[in-house]
Amino acid sequence: MPLPTMTHSSSFLLPSPPPPPADAVSYAVVVLNQRLPRFAPLVWTRARLRVCADGGANRVFDGMPDLLPGQDPDEIRERYKPDAIKGDMDSIRPEVKEYYSNLGAKIIDESHDQDTTDLHKCISFITTNPPDPDNSNLCILVLGALGGRFDHEMGNINVLYRFSSIKIILLSDDSSIFLLPKTHSHEIHVDPSIEGPHCGLIPMGAPSSSTTTTGLRWNLDNTSMSYGGLVSTSNIVDEEKVTVTSDSDLIWTISLRKHA
């Protein structure tokens, strides 16, 4: 029996996205404690729920005015107010916490929970308070998930596996990363105006004994991949639709164009 197909797109990075279909994606955004990517204001406006992970609130407070020069910083801070701030509360500055609390942001202190990361806490919050009652169309965009400490990056990638039934996209200025669960075949719609051509397929959780792709410069044909063996890095997207089928969960990554 053929696997069901899951589709993926970075249309949320387009300045003017296409008109939404009836089953339009419902976006939420999480901001972690790393420098905001240049497209943070655009992604923020696409989202219907915005959550800062602890020190991510500092990044929004300080970084949004820097990304929107020539505008009143106080007006920008009011416009880009998170709906919730969640985490250990060991990184957020007291004045930032007070500022957003006064604007009505929900402050959720989970310093008692040291077994999960701040991103994990934020994803849990969104899945229990989704912007749309139908979680099947939920897509969570994570800003600041890459860069900084390597163990933090690995923890963030692990969250993709912990919540494999939810579409979660990790974003930086340079790249986009998301999980391709083995329970589906995948269609990745590539817009060359905002992403590519460099891409990779990485068997991070477990080896793959069979992965097949189309649309890449160097396609895989029932190919085995594993650490210590072949890993498909520095591949090139050759077509605007890439398909992937694998017997293992894979990480997909694609470069983002600097003008995106």
Side-chain angles (χ1 to χ4, degrees), residues 205-234:
S208 165
S209 60
S210 175
T211 296
T212 298
T213 67
T214 65
L216 301 179
R217 177 78 49 86
W218 297 284
N219 277 309
L220 306 174
D221 182 10
N222 198 28
T223 304
S224 298
M225 291 195 296
S226 66
Y227 277 96
L230 173 70
V231 175
S232 181
T233 59
S234 297

Side-chain angles (χ1 to χ4, degrees), residues 13-42:
L13 288 175
L14 290 169
S16 299
D23 59 347
V25 176
S26 180
Y27 292 108
V29 67
V30 175
V31 181
L32 301 181
N33 192 12
Q34 289 291 332
R35 184 176 61 85
L36 295 179
R38 64 196 179 281
F39 47 76
L42 175 64

Side-chain angles (χ1 to χ4, degrees), residues 10-15 39 42-43 46 171 176 194-195 256 260:
S10 297
S11 61
F12 56 85
L13 288 175
L14 290 169
F39 47 76
L42 175 64
V43 169
R46 297 278 184 266
L171 294 161
S176 165
I194 55 174
E195 59 191 336
L256 296 180

